[in-house]
C-alpha cells in the first residue's frame, strides 16, 4: 500500500475516533426497562407527575381515583390469568414483566362522579360540557405521560405510562 493510502486511512481513523469522543454522551444508550427491574413502588418521577396530574384535574373540577400504580410481576401474572386459567373477564394482555406497572412507570385511573361512584365512562362530564376523561388525558400528556388510548393495537384507555427514556439518569 502506498504512503498516501496509509495516510488517508490514518486520517479517517483519527476523524472517526475524534467524532466518537466528541459525541460520546449522545451515543450512550438510554435507560431500558431492565434498569427499573428492582422497583417496588412507583418511580419518584412518576409519583410526582401522578400527584400533579390529580391536583391539576382537581383544580379543573375533575375528581380522579388512581386504581393501580406499581404492580409486582407475581400480581401481574394473577391479573393475566383472569379470563384465561382463572374465572372472570380478561383484564390485561401483559404477563408479569411485560407491563410498565411492574417497573413503577405506570398508573391506571378512573373518574369519581359527583355522586361518589368510581366510573370508567369516557363521556362523563361533571364540570364544563367536555368529557372529563379526555380533559384528564390532555393534562397527563402535557405532564409527559403516554396514554394507552393512543396505542395502535389494544387500547388501554385508563392507562398512563412514562417510558424509560423519559426518566433521566439523575432521577433513577
Amino acid at each position: 500500500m502506498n504512503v498516501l493510502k496509509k495516510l488517508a486511512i490514518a486520517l479517517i481513523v483519527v476523524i472517526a475516533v475524534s467524532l466518537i469522543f466528541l459525541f460520546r454522551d449522545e451515543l450512550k444508550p438510554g435507560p431500558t426497562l431492565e434498569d427499573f427491574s428492582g422497583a417496588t413502588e412507583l418511580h419518584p418521577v412518576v409519583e410526582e407527575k401522578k400527584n400533579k396530574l390529580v391536583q391539576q384535574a382537581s383544580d379543573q373540577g375533575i375528581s380522579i381515583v388512581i386504581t393501580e400504580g406499581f404492580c409486582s410481576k407475581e400480581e401481574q401474572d394473577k391479573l393475566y390469568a383472569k379470563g384465561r386459567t382463572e374465572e372472570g373477564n380478561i383484564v390485561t394482555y401483559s404477563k408479569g414483566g411485560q407491563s410498565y406497572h411492574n417497573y413503577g412507570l405506570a398508573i391506571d385511573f378512573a373518574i369519581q362522579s359527583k355522586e361518589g361512584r368510581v366510573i370508567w365512562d369516557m363521556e362523563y362530564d361533571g364540570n364544563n360540557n367536555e368529557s372529563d376523561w379526555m380533559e384528564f388525558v390532555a393534562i397527563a400528556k402535557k405532564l409527559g405521560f403516554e396514554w394507552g388510548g393512543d396505542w395502535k393495537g389494544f387500547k388501554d384507555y385508563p392507562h398512563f405510562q412514562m417510558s424509560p427514556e423519559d426518566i433521566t439518569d439523575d432521577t433513577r
Side-chain angles (χ1 to χ4, degrees), residues 60 62 122-135:
Q60 292 187 23
I62 302 169
M122 292 179 64
E123 303 300 319
Y124 174 81
D125 171 54
N127 64 344
N128 63 2
N129 295 323
E130 290 182 45
S131 160
D132 288 357
W133 194 280
M134 296 312 295
E135 287 181 85

Side-chain angles (χ1 to χ4, degrees), residues 29-92:
T32 65
L33 279 181
E34 192 58 35
D35 294 322
F36 299 90
S37 64
T40 58
E41 59 187 16
L42 281 180
H43 186 280
V45 170
V46 178
E47 179 74 30
E48 178 186 341
K49 299 275 184 161
K50 175 200 76 166
N51 293 338
K52 285 182 182 179
L53 178 58
V54 171
Q55 183 59 55
Q56 288 180 22
S58 179
D59 292 347
Q60 292 187 23
I62 302 169
S63 183
I64 294 298
V65 175
I66 301 300
T67 59
E68 184 72 72
F70 173 80
C71 178
S72 73
K73 292 176 184 176
E74 295 77 23
E75 292 168 325
Q76 187 73 34
D77 283 337
K78 287 179 185 175
L79 289 173
Y80 184 81
K82 286 186 179 181
R84 293 181 178 86
T85 58
E86 300 292 326
E87 285 189 37
N89 295 322
I90 290 176
V91 295
T92 184

Side-chain angles (χ1 to χ4, degrees), residues 1-169:
M1 196 176 341
N2 69 32
V3 174
L4 285 177
K5 283 185 181 178
K6 288 180 180 178
L7 284 173
I9 291 171
L11 182 60
I12 290 170
V13 169
V14 167
I15 291 171
V17 169
S18 297
L19 288 173
I20 289 171
F21 180 77
L22 286 172
F23 295 103
R24 69 183 177 274
D25 289 337
E26 288 79 5
L27 295 173
K28 288 181 185 172
T32 65
L33 279 181
E34 192 58 35
D35 294 322
F36 299 90
S37 64
T40 58
E41 59 187 16
L42 281 180
H43 186 280
V45 170
V46 178
E47 179 74 30
E48 178 186 341
K49 299 275 184 161
K50 175 200 76 166
N51 293 338
K52 285 182 182 179
L53 178 58
V54 171
Q55 183 59 55
Q56 288 180 22
S58 179
D59 292 347
Q60 292 187 23
I62 302 169
S63 183
I64 294 298
V65 175
I66 301 300
T67 59
E68 184 72 72
F70 173 80
C71 178
S72 73
K73 292 176 184 176
E74 295 77 23
E75 292 168 325
Q76 187 73 34
D77 283 337
K78 287 179 185 175
L79 289 173
Y80 184 81
K82 286 186 179 181
R84 293 181 178 86
T85 58
E86 300 292 326
E87 285 189 37
N89 295 322
I90 290 176
V91 295
T92 184
Y93 290 92
S94 298
K95 294 179 181 178
Q98 296 176 336
S99 170
Y100 276 39
H101 288 285
N102 307 146
Y103 302 92
L105 299 175
I107 58 172
D108 291 342
F109 74 98
I111 304 285
Q112 186 169 15
S113 71
K114 292 194 180 292
E115 300 77 36
R117 292 180 300 121
V118 176
I119 58 175
W120 286 265
D121 180 352
M122 292 179 64
E123 303 300 319
Y124 174 81
D125 171 54
N127 64 344
N128 63 2
N129 295 323
E130 290 182 45
S131 160
D132 288 357
W133 194 280
M134 296 312 295
E135 287 181 85
F136 190 64
V137 167
I139 297 167
K141 287 181 176 184
K142 285 181 186 172
L143 289 171
F145 283 101
E146 174 186 338
W147 180 42
D150 286 335
W151 294 347
K152 293 194 186 301
F154 169 72
K155 305 279 188 187
D156 193 352
Y157 294 105
H159 179 88
F160 293 116
Q161 66 186 33
M162 296 192 82
S163 295
E165 311 83 63
D166 296 331
I167 309 292
T168 59
D169 285 341

